[in-house]
Amino acid sequence: MSGNVVGENVVGENMAGGNGRSERVESPSGGGSSTDVLIVGAGPSGLTLALVLARRGVPFRIIESEVGPRPGSRGKGVQPRTLEAFADLGIVDRILAQGRMAMPMDMISADGGVRRGGDVPAALADRPDIPYPASVITPEWRVEDALREHLARYGRHVEFGTRLVDLQQTAEGVLAQVTADGATHVVSARWLIGADGGHSAARKLAGIAFEGETREDVRLVIADLPLTGIGRERWRTWRHPRGIVSLCPLPSTDLFQCTATLAPGEEPRLETEHLQEVLEQRSGRTDIRLGEPVWTSVWRANVRLAAHYRAGRVLLMGDAAHIHSPAGGQGMNTGIQDACNLGWKLAAVLADGAPEPLIDTYEAERRPVAQHVLAFTDARLAETQRTREFSVKRDESTIQLDVGCRGSRLSVDDRDEASDLRAGDRAPDATGLIAVDGPHRLFDLIGGGIFTLLEFGGAPWQREQVDGIRVLRVVDEPRGEGEIADGDGTLAAAYAPTDRTRVLIRPDGCIGVLSDAGDLGVIRDCLAAVGIQGRSAESSEPAVAREQGREVSVDCSNA
């Protein structure tokens, strides 16, 4: 039955499909349960989506097949774009406190030569438009802890030990058969989100192909363990003809992540004695003594991308949609950005009455990003195989600040194609802004799950025309709510405005509309397309953006 659309909602019936039998299954409270969104998988992407929905008051459940929180450092690098998302969600201070930004990295060759890296790139340092210039190293379980505990503040919790075993699509949503504590019951949801990793049950049950390859010739053993003999101030990697071995201190713990490459055909061995032998052979050091691992894993190179991110009312994100090499530290971060993109759109449809086709822009905007990430990490992996060393380079290619959605039908502007800043780009930050209550940076004033209209001039936006957005108006001297002065000139430097420019910033931090002509009709049409109504009579006609006499068609009204 997986992925089939049927016309009736038969909560409580067995949905095994294909055997002709109809068997009653136990439902919680005896009569089934329903929700707007069922999130399958409570890793970083699933938890981020849960937080986005909780903040907007959208009903959901989040289930996880594991019986409790997962151990392991796994994806230990949190990129700057993700830190910005975490700041908006309210957990970045904890992530920073429990991690380390710009951890120094040493690549040590067999002859003892050392190549050092990991510093904040000079091009990113001390920039007012970038609040976090480098990635933060912290164990993935710390990230999940922070997300889970913040979610609890909304009174929402992960349902551990609950597994998706089957699903049936209806005209109104999805009937999901789940098991927990030995009982089986059915959850009726308007949307089911597969965030359950590379082996995603949601993806398989929805019948979505996972295209790509698994490379058994490219493998790593990974272990989180205590050790003695070296300090915790640097991440060290040793090159050797037999392979690479790496020791990365895990901040806020007494552990290191130990990784070692495996030769093709080599049997993975995870016992301490063997890891010690590998370390001594490849590093040439006998003074470093490894302790007993608290978590181990064998990683295999998988390069796969879901053929689609949506099948009916089932949507995929994170590793369920794309999986690739850990080179460059992109995987977890890409999944979290998936959640930020999908979350505001689900909330717009479910809470604001936006048209359902808005959901289709999720795949249109995020799948190309995953394609780029797969190509980038594949190239990094090939470089590692060729040079037998991990890259110590940090630059703009890894921090995801250049990831956007130019060309999306939700991205509209009247700027020249050669302009540095366009609709669909990440909205840059700015410092030194002055409001009536004191100094701020731009990122302190936007976000929170709603749209922000930034006005550099033109007739002031009439707040009564449209509810549900925040308006910031740039003035010489702020006198009232929503007025800000560009004290240091960093806002003008980032946005290069005219005296009429208006910028509509989406809840996920991307620019939706950038109009140097200050076209309010374009902005109202785009807001209407995402469920924020209230256009005045003057903008009842389809909007166009005008610049120096040229017209640009607006797609937002068809989103």
Side-chain angles (χ1 to χ4, degrees):
M1 70 144 192
S2 304
N4 293 332
V5 178
V6 297
E8 296 183 358
N9 202 337
V10 284
V11 176
E13 296 296 320
N14 186 348
M15 300 182 295
N19 59 14
R21 292 184 289 112
S22 178
E23 178 184 344
R24 298 293 295 181
V25 296
E26 182 181 348
S27 299
S29 72
S33 63
S34 63
T35 188
D36 278 359
V37 181
L38 176 63
I39 305 170
V40 182
S45 57
L47 288 166
T48 299
L49 178 63
L51 266 180
V52 173
L53 297 179
R55 181 167 62 178
R56 289 296 316 277
V58 175
F60 69 90
R61 290 173 63 178
I62 178 168
I63 65 174
E64 169 58 52
S65 61
E66 297 288 341
V67 296
R70 298 181 301 168
S73 52
R74 289 172 283 129
K76 62 186 182 299
V78 184
Q79 300 292 356
R81 185 66 172 274
T82 302
L83 293 172
E84 293 178 2
F86 284 170
D88 181 47
L89 290 170
I91 68 167
V92 74
D93 289 343
R94 177 168 172 175
I95 298 297
L96 294 174
Q98 295 180 336
R100 183 174 181 185
M101 181 174 286
M103 180 178 287
M105 305 166 70
D106 286 355
M107 176 60 65
I108 306 166
S109 61
D111 63 4
V114 178
R115 186 161 60 88
R116 293 193 158 168
D119 297 334
V120 175
L124 303 177
D126 302 320
R127 282 179 47 175
D129 59 327
I130 299 177
Y132 311 103
S135 62
V136 168
I137 298 296
T138 190
E140 187 170 320
W141 62 265
R142 286 287 197 198
V143 174
E144 292 181 4
D145 275 357
L147 289 164
R148 214 168 31 245
E149 292 182 19
H150 202 64
L151 186 62
R153 297 186 180 185
Y154 291 91
R156 312 308 300 269
H157 303 276
V158 175
E159 300 175 42
F160 285 108
T162 304
R163 182 182 300 274
L164 174 69
V165 295
D166 212 342
L167 66 83
Q168 179 177 352
Q169 299 217 40
T170 74
E172 295 78 28
V174 179
L175 301 177
Q177 183 172 306
V178 303
T179 61
D181 297 323
T184 302
H185 63 271
V186 172
V187 179
S188 174
R190 293 175 65 181
W191 298 92
L192 184 147
I193 313 302
D196 47 342
H199 298 287
S200 171
R203 185 188 64 243
K204 294 172 184 176
L205 291 168
I208 300 175
F210 204 31
E211 300 166 346
E213 62 176 351
T214 299
R215 298 180 55 184
E216 291 291 341
D217 62 320
V218 184
R219 297 169 300 152
L220 296 172
V221 294
I222 309 172
D224 293 350
L225 43 70
L227 60 79
T228 60
I230 59 172
R232 300 182 59 84
E233 76 284 357
R234 310 188 73 81
W235 177 353
R236 298 171 175 87
T237 301
W238 290 268
R239 297 174 58 193
H240 188 273
R242 295 290 299 272
I244 300 170
V245 66
S246 177
L247 295 174
C248 177
L250 298 173
S252 72
T253 79
D254 60 357
L255 304 175
F256 283 70
Q257 184 192 74
C258 174
T259 59
T261 56
L262 290 169
E266 181 182 355
E267 186 69 23
R269 294 173 56 190
L270 298 169
E271 61 271 17
T272 307
E273 295 78 8
H274 181 69
L275 293 174
Q276 183 72 45
E277 292 174 8
V278 170
L279 175 64
E280 292 181 7
Q281 178 192 65
R282 299 182 185 182
S283 71
R285 295 183 58 167
T286 59
D287 57 323
I288 305 172
R289 308 306 300 174
L290 304 183
E292 192 70 23
V294 300
W295 173 81
T296 61
S297 181
V298 178
W299 173 84
R300 293 170 175 80
N302 279 287
V303 182
R304 295 183 181 275
L305 178 64
H308 299 285
Y309 281 18
R310 177 181 179 182
R313 294 300 188 96
V314 176
L315 294 154
L316 303 178
M317 65 180 188
D319 285 357
H322 45 78
I323 191 166
H324 38 76
S325 161
Q330 303 293 291
M332 176 183 70
N333 295 276
T334 302
I336 289 169
Q337 295 301 321
D338 289 345
C340 293
N341 184 292
L342 178 59
W344 77 261
K345 294 171 182 178
L346 281 171
V349 170
L350 294 168
D352 301 330
E356 187 178 306
L358 175 65
I359 300 298
D360 291 329
T361 66
Y362 163 63
E363 176 177 334
E365 292 183 349
R366 292 302 299 171
R367 194 171 182 274
V369 171
Q371 288 176 310
H372 169 76
V373 169
L374 262 65
F376 169 77
T377 56
D378 220 23
R380 276 283 180 102
L381 178 60
E383 180 184 2
T384 297
Q385 290 182 285
R386 179 179 58 82
T387 62
R388 291 184 176 272
E389 66 179 36
F390 296 143
S391 175
V392 296
K393 180 182 178 182
R394 285 195 176 101
D395 58 27
E396 295 183 63
S397 68
T398 64
I399 60 178
Q400 300 197 341
L401 296 183
D402 61 347
V403 174
C405 48
R406 286 192 186 187
S408 167
R409 60 184 180 180
L410 298 183
S411 302
V412 181
D413 68 28
D414 52 20
R415 288 193 167 178
D416 186 88
E417 291 185 1
S419 298
D420 290 336
L421 189 67
R422 301 285 306 279
D425 292 347
R426 160 192 170 269
D429 198 7
T431 56
L433 306 184
I434 307 299
V436 291
D437 61 346
H440 293 275
R441 64 186 312 143
L442 180 62
F443 280 8
D444 293 337
L445 302 174
I446 67 175
I450 64 174
F451 282 81
T452 297
L453 178 62
L454 183 60
E455 293 188 313
F456 289 90
W461 174 271
Q462 299 301 310
R463 296 172 187 271
E464 64 272 12
Q465 290 177 349
V466 176
D467 294 325
I469 72 168
R470 174 192 298 110
V471 180
L472 298 176
R473 185 166 179 83
V474 182
V475 297
D476 292 333
E477 184 176 348
R479 299 181 182 277
E481 180 184 358
E483 293 184 344
I484 56 174
D486 187 10
D488 294 342
T490 61
L491 192 65
Y495 288 85
T498 69
D499 59 2
R500 298 184 60 83
T501 296
R502 286 186 169 93
V503 184
L504 185 66
I505 303 173
R506 304 181 347 178
D508 60 0
C510 288
I511 296 174
V513 177
L514 202 169
S515 175
D516 284 333
D519 196 328
L520 284 175
V522 174
I523 292 168
R524 292 192 186 99
D525 278 353
C526 285
L527 289 172
V530 298
I532 301 176
Q533 301 294 330
R535 288 185 293 170
S536 61
E538 66 183 83
S539 63
S540 59
E541 295 298 319
V544 294
R546 292 179 175 85
E547 180 192 30
Q548 297 178 354
R550 71 182 179 93
E551 295 188 352
V552 182
S553 297
V554 175
D555 287 338
C556 286
S557 60
N558 299 317

